[in-house]
Amino acid sequence: MTLTEFIAALDALGADGPARIAAATDLDSWTEVRNALIGRQSGRLTELMGALGALPKEDRREAGQRANTVKVALEAALEARRAELAAAEAAGGRALDLTMPARDRWYGAVHPVSRVIDEVVEIFRELGFAIALGPEAEHAWYNFGALNFPPDHPAMDLHDTLYVGDEQVLRTHTSPVQVRTLQQYPPPIRILAPGNVYRSDPFDPSHAPMFAQIEGLVVDEGVSFADLKATLSHFARRFFGASTRTRFRPSYFPFTEPSAEMDVQCGVCAGSGCSVCKHSGWVEILGSGMVHPAVLEAAGLDSERYTGWAFGMGPARTAISRHGIPDIRILYDSDVRFLDQFAR
Amino acid sequence: MKISHEWLARFVPHGRDAAAIRDLITAHVATVEGFEHLRADLAPFVVGRVVESERIPETKLSFNKVDDGSGTLLEVVCGAPNVTVGAKYPFARSGTRVPPSAKNPTGLLIERRKIRGFTSNGMLCSAQELNLGDDADGILTLETDAPPGTPLLAVLPAGDVRLEVDVLPNRPDLLSHRGVAREVAALTGTPLGVPTELATLAAPGSPPVRGDTAASAGGISVRIEDRADCPQYGAAVLSGLTVGPSPDWLRTAVEASGGRSINNLVDATNYLLHGLGQPVHAFDAATLAGDAIAVRRARAGETLVTLDGQSRALDPRMLVIADAERATALAGVMGGRASEVTSTTTRVVLEVAEFTPRVVRATRRAVGLSTDASYRFERGIDPAAVAEVLATGAALLAHVGGGRVEALVLVGDAPAPRPAVTLRAARAALVLGEAIPLAELTGLLTAVGFACAPTGGDALVVTPPSWRLDVVREVDLIEEVARLRGYDRLPDTLQGARPGTVPDHPLFTAYRRVRDALVAEGLHEVRPLPFTSGAAMPSPDDALVRVRNPLGEDEPYLRREVLGTLARRAEYNLNRMQGDVRLFEVGTVFLPQGAALPREEQRVGVLVMGRRRPAHFTEPQPPAWDEWDAKALAERLARVAFPDAAISLVAADAPVLWSVRAGEATVGTVRRVALDAPVWAKPAFGLELTLGEMPSARVAPAGAHAHASAPARPRAAAPMRYVPLPTTPAAEFDLALLVPEAVTSAQVEVLLRATSGPQLEACTLFDEFRGEGIPAGMRSLAWRLTFRHPERTLRDKEIDGRRSQLLKTLEAQLGVRPRTA
């Protein structure tokens, strides 16, 4: 046999093979075809491979490669047909009912409060904020004293405090992280501090003894109330939508001055007044203010040189209103049917 | 603070409607949280104009055509004698309900009906029918230019509105109508006035008799024993009084600010409280033993029955008012029952005093009794108003009680002027982001009572008014300027900023990695409460951190592990017939450290229970979560949490299955979780890893910082290195082995790996079998071994050689033999 004759025989097999494979109508006839093509005993390809030795030595390499290519192609075609025939056999010869449901799996979910925190973090990250954390059981000094709460003053009555020891509290807000951060790192400071805080509030539809809060703090030279308004309004537009209107109104926190609450125009009634906004047209979103010089001084900073602003917001409030959750306790119950609603 | 819009307007005739005042106060002063029309029942009534009128013969009735603004003239029958064509009257369209009265407690519903053959489509109303007065002789003529159809409340002064102002602790000066009026005066440019009822009072005959610590007049002696807690004590002695109902203006004022009218004298004291912001107390002078008043600390063992009828045990923390024998009132908190003004009282002592916030707060807390008076004293009253309110109050009580002022006594010092504060225009510009000229600063501050003196430079020396106890620093003045000018008028341009020095907290980034991995595994994040009952602990007070004032005694402790919390949440789900539970939490645990703050750790806890997958028609009963799922979750989680460490799971003693190691450190455990579970529930598995400690030590002492010269940023973990993909074929074979029960899978695998040489690519346990064909005390384990040479194809001979070498070693070292058919 010459190389030319060998190649001609291979090509014939390569051309003929697929048609014969497709002609197999069940697994038995498929086995016959397979044996005829590549069977060890009498397969045509096996015969040809056996004839390789008879070729001139310098042709064997090319012939061998060509034979191998044909072998791989035939094997693939055989396997594909076998799978089709096996599936058809398993289905009793009938086609699949493609209306049947997919094989599902469990999907996980991020808690709705964490989702709000994520979104807030995302927006402030774009503005160069980093994430700071602090302990939940705190020295009273970090929770109150360093934040300019006058000792034994009615301002403390706004924070129903849980105590774990003498001068040791479960932090009533995330603001202690402000002071810890200012003591640890030099300005410029741009941080966001999410975390859990505690109040001695009985569990009811709108109050929880522990809830999440997000604190923000900026301290540097030349930081002004204009920066506070600009950044928080920008946040509101990013968070609630580009056309969101904000307003700032006077408030009081011992650790900021001037202090301001930020409202956004009610998204339900667009400011005309409804039950969601208690007919005011505005919904309170966060408390904010310029960092009180006494706080900078408590952290060992020069309050003439540095100024700053801070804010705090409650992501659970936002989660409740955006998802229409009627009772805050649902967020804590951990009912899988509730959690699963956030999985898809 | 409840503010009556009408009462407010008597202090400052601003000429604006209540909604405008609400918006002004909210924008510049304090948030107005409530807005209530006191005569909301009159809202449906409108102004009606009589266009035609004729008498109905042989009756007192008239038949009228009324314009109610609807465009159609309505036929209305009326019984009043004073119907005049062209005049305007309150009109009730049919469907309107007239306010309830003694005669008709539900209120008459006006309906279209026939009277004497004439149709009537509504009612023209008298003052009495609208609860606007006693006049029932005819319908109420409205002197107004408002067109027919205008809501009645828009034209009648009866439309008073109660504004609920949320006064925060720094602004006690807003806890009165006069206080709010000062702000409204400044904001509207209207001068502050004196209400007619005060302006027309006859001044008391003579000024008060004064003394440093004691004085007497009118038969009463006053002595302050505790000057530190009571800087000023004023008393007015009034006689010839008659206790009776209040005049209308007084009753209306008291009710409009949310109070209840009691009698003329008590109402007058409430007028002084809510009108002028000074708590006062009137008591029956006849009950005073020894005609003496002393301000002193309570004595141990003393008791007092207060006005609310409670008998209260007193102690020296409390300040009291006493007569010659006993305590008669809790200073600044509540009067005593024995000295109460009664219907037979004729001689009264009116107390107008200053008690310090500290002592009133202590007294209030000791007795657990908060009152309108204690609320104001705790926050601080205007000390300069004491003398003024003493004179005004005496005159007011004398006027409404029909008696006379016998004497005024005022003991103590006149208050010192408030310390001046310097305000630099440049500092205000820096803080607010906008330069405000000195003249404007002066104008804004002067309008609310601050005295501004120029320094010649770029600053003002500002003396706060006596009622602004909160203004002590420059920044307090800057806030004043900002709010009076209006926060919304300050600039809000977003500017660039220097990058911060603070790195992301590593526990936050670990939380995010761990959370994303677990959500991808199909688990639900939870955020439950971290309180616990301690029931599972033998001595919870040693093992757990106890909240000193817990919300409930059922869960007074803070948890020391997350898994316990998840177990309770799993039980909550089982109680609701939910058996497929896959929960995780990244949260804090609290480990007691004696008197120090607890050690806080950030942990991740995972609990899985129930089916591994949802049911499908190809798999009606999916397998349940088991140990091997839990082990896989733990391995995955530990790798994500500790990317730089070698992770291993080491078998441990029950109920722990494995302890999880990251490098040399034990970072957590995998466990079966015992639940209070119904029989149908599947087993629960849990794992808990410690992500790190959250330090709570002080960073630096108060007033100091601990800034490093160059703050260290954590080094990024070494990046994963790419392993080149193989270019040569692999060779693999299976080893089915008979393994004595005493030998572990890990022992065999360690040996397999050690003996196989560097060309071993994978070594996978794929079968375990006990039973037929396997000798007792043995099990069959089968591994698939994959070999690959990086440069060439391995020869069959080489593979066979390795196989027999492996079997020889296994047999020699572990007594493990091949399983032959």
Side-chain angles (χ1 to χ4, degrees):
Chain A
M1 192 181 273
T2 66
L3 180 62
T4 319
E5 287 166 346
F6 185 84
I7 290 172
L10 269 181
D11 286 349
L13 182 60
D16 184 33
R20 291 173 66 184
I21 293 168
T25 52
D26 54 35
L27 286 176
D28 286 345
S29 56
W30 176 87
T31 307
E32 280 172 30
V33 173
R34 191 190 71 100
N35 289 343
L37 294 175
I38 60 168
R40 284 195 184 200
Q41 309 297 321
S42 56
R44 175 71 181 130
L45 189 68
T46 316
E47 282 173 27
L48 282 172
M49 300 285 254
L52 266 177
L55 289 176
K57 206 171 182 184
E58 64 274 18
D59 293 337
R60 281 184 205 158
R61 183 179 162 79
E62 187 188 348
Q65 281 176 350
R66 284 180 175 255
N68 205 45
T69 310
V70 172
K71 183 183 177 201
V72 168
L74 288 176
E75 280 175 349
L78 280 165
E79 179 51 31
R81 183 62 182 154
R82 193 200 60 77
E84 283 174 16
L85 293 171
E89 212 144 283
R94 279 171 282 113
L96 292 177
D97 175 0
L98 298 177
T99 66
M100 294 173 89
R103 181 178 291 124
D104 211 350
R105 45 156 292 193
W106 300 134
Y107 293 92
V110 173
H111 191 274
V113 170
S114 303
R115 288 179 163 213
V116 175
I117 295 173
D118 283 4
E119 288 173 42
V120 175
V121 165
E122 197 60 38
I123 295 167
F124 280 94
R125 274 212 185 290
E126 294 169 0
L127 300 171
F129 285 66
I131 309 300
L133 302 176
E136 294 176 20
E138 258 297 5
H139 302 278
W141 184 75
Y142 277 114
N143 198 73
F144 293 122
L147 292 166
N148 196 36
F149 279 76
D152 201 27
H153 186 266
M156 307 272 282
D157 298 347
L158 301 176
H159 291 239
D160 293 323
T161 310
L162 293 172
Y163 287 85
V164 291
D166 296 334
E167 294 295 301
Q168 295 174 347
V169 303
L170 291 174
R171 64 179 180 187
T172 58
H173 47 181
T174 41
S175 307
V177 181
Q178 286 190 25
V179 185
R180 287 183 170 277
T181 304
L182 289 171
Q183 283 192 322
Q184 193 163 358
Y185 298 98
I189 300 286
R190 290 173 81 75
I191 58 151
L192 211 57
N196 289 328
V197 304
Y198 297 78
R199 297 284 171 92
S200 172
D201 278 337
F203 220 5
D204 70 27
S206 49
H207 295 90
M210 181 206 79
F211 52 94
Q213 209 174 59
I214 308 174
E215 189 88 4
L217 174 71
V218 171
V219 172
D220 199 358
E221 295 171 13
V223 172
S224 77
F225 195 74
D227 297 310
L228 177 159
K229 281 184 67 181
T231 313
L232 294 177
S233 297
H234 169 82
F235 161 71
R237 288 190 295 270
R238 287 277 284 107
F239 192 84
F240 295 102
S243 61
T244 302
R245 288 185 54 205
T246 52
R247 76 170 183 185
F248 292 83
R249 55 189 161 79
S251 188
Y252 167 69
F253 309 103
F255 41 100
T256 56
E257 187 158 23
S259 298
E261 298 276 353
M262 183 178 83
D263 299 339
V264 298
Q265 198 163 56
C266 179
V268 175
C269 61
S272 58
C274 66
S275 62
V276 171
C277 58
K278 290 192 222 145
H279 304 281
S280 71
W282 297 91
V283 179
E284 183 178 319
I285 295 302
L286 52 82
S288 64
M290 297 301 291
V291 178
H292 198 288
V295 175
L296 299 173
E297 289 154 14
L301 292 186
D302 178 353
S303 64
E304 273 293 300
R305 179 175 171 196
Y306 294 112
T307 49
W309 59 270
F311 76 92
M313 67 176 282
R317 283 274 163 80
T318 309
I320 279 178
S321 79
R322 64 154 60 159
H323 297 298
I325 299 167
D327 186 326
I328 200 167
R329 291 172 292 194
I330 293 172
L331 294 174
Y332 299 82
D333 285 342
S334 315
D335 190 310
V336 295
R337 295 165 296 181
F338 167 74
L339 299 168
D340 206 42
Q341 293 180 24
F342 297 91
R344 296 168 191 238
Chain B
M1 177 68 202
K2 294 187 173 75
I3 295 292
S4 150
H5 181 240
E6 279 188 9
W7 195 357
L8 185 69
R10 294 214 292 276
F11 280 102
V12 51
H14 50 70
R16 287 160 175 81
D17 69 18
I21 292 300
R22 171 195 63 190
D23 294 345
L24 262 185
I25 295 175
T26 294
H28 297 277
V29 185
T31 303
V32 179
E33 290 191 319
F35 188 84
E36 185 191 353
H37 282 280
L38 295 184
R39 290 306 308 270
D41 56 341
L42 296 185
F45 292 82
V46 297
V47 174
R49 182 169 155 272
V50 174
V51 179
E52 290 174 24
S53 182
E54 58 184 84
R55 307 300 315 176
I56 302 176
E58 294 164 31
T59 69
K60 288 196 277 182
L61 302 175
S62 58
F63 178 67
N64 311 285
K65 291 202 171 153
V66 174
D67 178 1
D68 73 337
S70 63
T72 314
L73 294 184
L74 297 175
E75 298 174 341
V76 175
V77 176
C78 183
N82 61 333
V83 181
T84 310
V85 169
K88 294 172 186 166
Y89 305 97
F91 179 65
R93 293 167 173 148
S94 66
T96 303
R97 192 173 287 279
V98 172
S101 62
K103 226 163 55 183
N104 193 337
T106 57
L108 176 69
L109 182 67
I110 304 302
E111 289 170 303
R112 177 191 164 97
R113 58 189 179 123
K114 290 258 191 199
I115 300 169
R116 298 277 172 127
F118 293 91
T119 305
S120 187
N121 294 293
M123 183 170 90
L124 296 164
C125 308
S126 72
Q128 192 193 41
E129 282 161 338
L130 298 179
N131 279 348
L132 288 172
D134 297 332
D135 189 352
D137 294 343
I139 53 179
L140 177 65
T141 307
L142 299 174
E143 304 294 344
T144 175
D145 298 330
T150 305
L152 180 64
L153 284 177
V155 303
L156 266 191
D160 196 8
V161 170
R162 187 185 292 154
L163 304 170
E164 177 99 45
V165 183
D166 183 20
V167 177
L168 293 169
N170 63 327
R171 292 296 306 273
D173 62 300
L174 298 176
L175 292 170
S176 71
H177 283 73
R178 179 161 71 179
V180 174
R182 284 189 191 113
E183 299 282 333
V184 171
L187 294 168
T188 60
T190 315
L192 189 68
V194 179
T196 328
E197 59 266 24
L198 297 185
T200 54
L201 290 174
S206 49
V209 175
R210 290 187 174 261
D212 281 346
T213 56
S216 42
I220 299 283
S221 68
V222 175
R223 193 174 78 259
I224 302 177
E225 292 182 10
D226 190 340
R227 288 281 299 274
D229 291 322
C230 178
Q232 305 181 72
Y233 191 96
V237 183
L238 297 117
S239 62
L241 298 166
T242 309
V243 174
S246 288
D248 272 352
W249 65 266
L250 181 55
R251 181 180 50 77
T252 311
V254 167
E255 289 175 354
S257 57
R260 194 167 52 86
S261 175
I262 294 169
N263 61 44
N264 49 357
L265 299 188
V266 173
D267 288 0
T269 63
N270 279 323
Y271 182 101
L272 298 170
L273 176 79
H274 295 288
L276 304 180
Q278 170 67 43
V280 301
H281 180 54
F283 48 96
D284 190 331
T287 65
L288 282 185
D291 290 331
I293 294 171
V295 184
R296 60 165 169 85
R297 290 287 179 145
R299 298 181 182 125
E302 245 181 326
T303 58
L304 172 68
V305 178
T306 41
L307 276 175
D308 54 6
Q310 299 277 317
S311 174
R312 304 192 182 262
L314 307 183
D315 65 56
R317 284 174 298 174
M318 308 169 187
L319 191 71
V320 296
I321 314 303
D323 62 16
E325 292 170 4
R326 59 187 183 276
T328 59
L330 283 169
V333 180
M334 189 176 267
R337 167 60 64 83
S339 55
E340 186 178 7
V341 171
T342 65
S343 57
T344 57
T345 298
T346 59
R347 195 156 174 265
V348 154
V349 173
L350 176 70
E351 165 195 296
V352 183
E354 178 192 0
F355 303 112
T356 62
R358 192 186 50 222
V359 75
V360 174
R361 186 168 168 85
T363 307
R364 188 270 290 174
R365 293 174 78 147
V367 293
L369 178 66
S370 181
T371 60
D372 281 342
S374 72
Y375 194 83
R376 284 163 177 79
F377 280 123
E378 260 192 70
R379 282 153 179 78
I381 57 151
D382 176 2
V386 168
E388 174 218 340
V389 174
L390 179 64
T392 308
L396 180 64
L397 262 69
H399 172 69
V400 300
R404 66 188 176 278
V405 181
E406 286 193 5
L408 302 179
V409 182
L410 183 53
V411 179
D413 294 328
R418 313 248 321 122
V421 181
T422 301
L423 172 62
R424 294 164 295 169
R427 182 71 185 174
L430 172 66
V431 172
L432 300 180
E434 182 173 3
I436 302 172
L438 274 186
E440 189 180 346
L441 296 175
T442 305
L444 290 166
L445 290 168
T446 308
V448 287
F450 291 80
C452 299
T455 57
D458 183 37
L460 296 170
V461 173
V462 182
T463 306
S466 58
W467 57 86
R468 289 304 301 275
L469 305 170
D470 58 313
V471 178
V472 293
R473 282 185 77 142
E474 184 179 35
V475 71
D476 301 325
L477 294 171
I478 293 174
E479 178 173 70
E480 284 301 295
V481 167
R483 70 173 182 88
L484 290 167
R485 197 164 190 269
Y487 285 177
D488 287 338
R489 278 187 55 208
L490 290 168
D492 63 352
T493 317
L494 194 57
Q495 302 195 17
R498 298 200 285 169
T501 59
V502 185
D504 271 340
H505 199 288
L507 284 177
F508 184 79
T509 48
Y511 157 64
R512 281 291 188 82
R513 289 198 309 272
V514 160
R515 189 189 74 183
D516 290 351
L518 290 170
V519 169
E521 295 285 346
L523 272 61
H524 293 133
E525 186 192 15
V526 297
R527 301 181 68 106
L529 295 181
F531 302 108
T532 177
S533 69
M537 301 276 168
S539 55
D541 279 327
D542 299 329
L544 297 171
V545 175
R546 193 177 214 284
V547 178
R548 291 201 171 173
N549 51 336
L551 282 155
E553 281 303 326
D554 53 335
E555 289 193 329
Y557 299 102
L558 293 166
R559 66 181 176 189
R560 58 175 298 135
E561 52 173 38
V562 171
L563 211 41
T565 305
L566 296 181
R568 303 291 84 77
R569 294 298 95 207
E571 287 165 354
Y572 177 95
N573 278 286
L574 289 171
N575 284 337
R576 283 152 187 79
M577 308 303 291
Q578 300 302 310
D580 294 324
V581 176
R582 308 173 309 284
L583 307 178
F584 78 90
E585 182 195 352
V586 180
T588 303
V589 300
F590 303 84
L591 310 172
Q593 300 191 115
L597 277 174
R599 175 187 162 89
E600 271 182 48
E601 292 181 359
Q602 282 285 298
R603 300 259 186 98
V604 52
V606 176
L607 185 147
V608 289
M609 172 175 69
R611 295 174 300 170
R612 182 68 188 83
R613 295 184 282 276
H616 186 250
F617 64 88
T618 56
E619 188 184 42
Q621 269 157 0
W625 292 93
D626 63 17
E627 291 82 351
W628 311 109
D629 294 315
K631 191 177 185 187
L633 277 175
E635 286 178 343
R636 166 93 184 115
L637 196 55
R639 287 201 182 96
V640 169
F642 306 99
D644 294 335
I647 302 301
S648 57
L649 266 70
V650 181
D653 295 334
V656 173
L657 294 164
W658 295 279
S659 53
V660 182
R661 300 244 176 102
E664 295 300 306
T666 299
V667 294
T669 55
V670 184
R671 273 178 276 177
R672 287 194 186 89
V673 181
L675 296 179
D676 183 4
V679 288
W680 52 263
K682 298 280 197 292
F685 297 90
L687 57 107
E688 179 154 346
L689 302 187
T690 302
L691 298 176
E693 188 192 350
M694 177 70 74
S696 52
R698 281 177 179 248
V699 180
H705 64 70
H707 297 168
S709 50
R713 286 196 174 258
R715 259 196 28 239
M720 190 276 295
R721 300 293 300 180
Y722 162 75
V723 178
L725 299 181
T727 54
T728 54
E732 56 185 35
F733 60 83
D734 295 348
L735 276 182
L737 301 173
L738 285 176
V739 181
E741 292 286 4
V743 176
T744 66
S745 156
Q747 283 175 292
V748 179
E749 194 163 318
V750 165
L751 197 56
L752 285 175
R753 288 180 185 277
T755 315
S756 293
Q759 287 156 16
L760 179 73
E761 186 176 85
C763 172
T764 312
L765 177 72
F766 69 89
D767 188 40
E768 182 191 34
F769 180 72
R770 288 182 182 83
E772 203 180 332
I774 307 298
M778 307 281 264
R779 58 180 169 153
S780 162
L781 296 175
W783 276 267
R784 173 156 301 158
L785 280 73
T786 308
F787 291 88
R788 193 190 304 269
H789 191 286
E791 279 140 27
R792 59 177 177 81
T793 307
L794 287 166
R795 289 188 293 276
D796 288 354
K797 241 174 31 193
E798 290 177 284
I799 300 297
D800 291 345
R802 269 209 186 82
R803 184 187 174 99
S804 36
Q805 177 62 41
L806 282 171
L807 290 174
K808 212 182 290 170
T809 313
L810 286 168
E811 170 120 45
Q813 298 202 8
L814 295 173
V816 168
R817 286 175 288 120
R819 176 184 173 194
T820 43

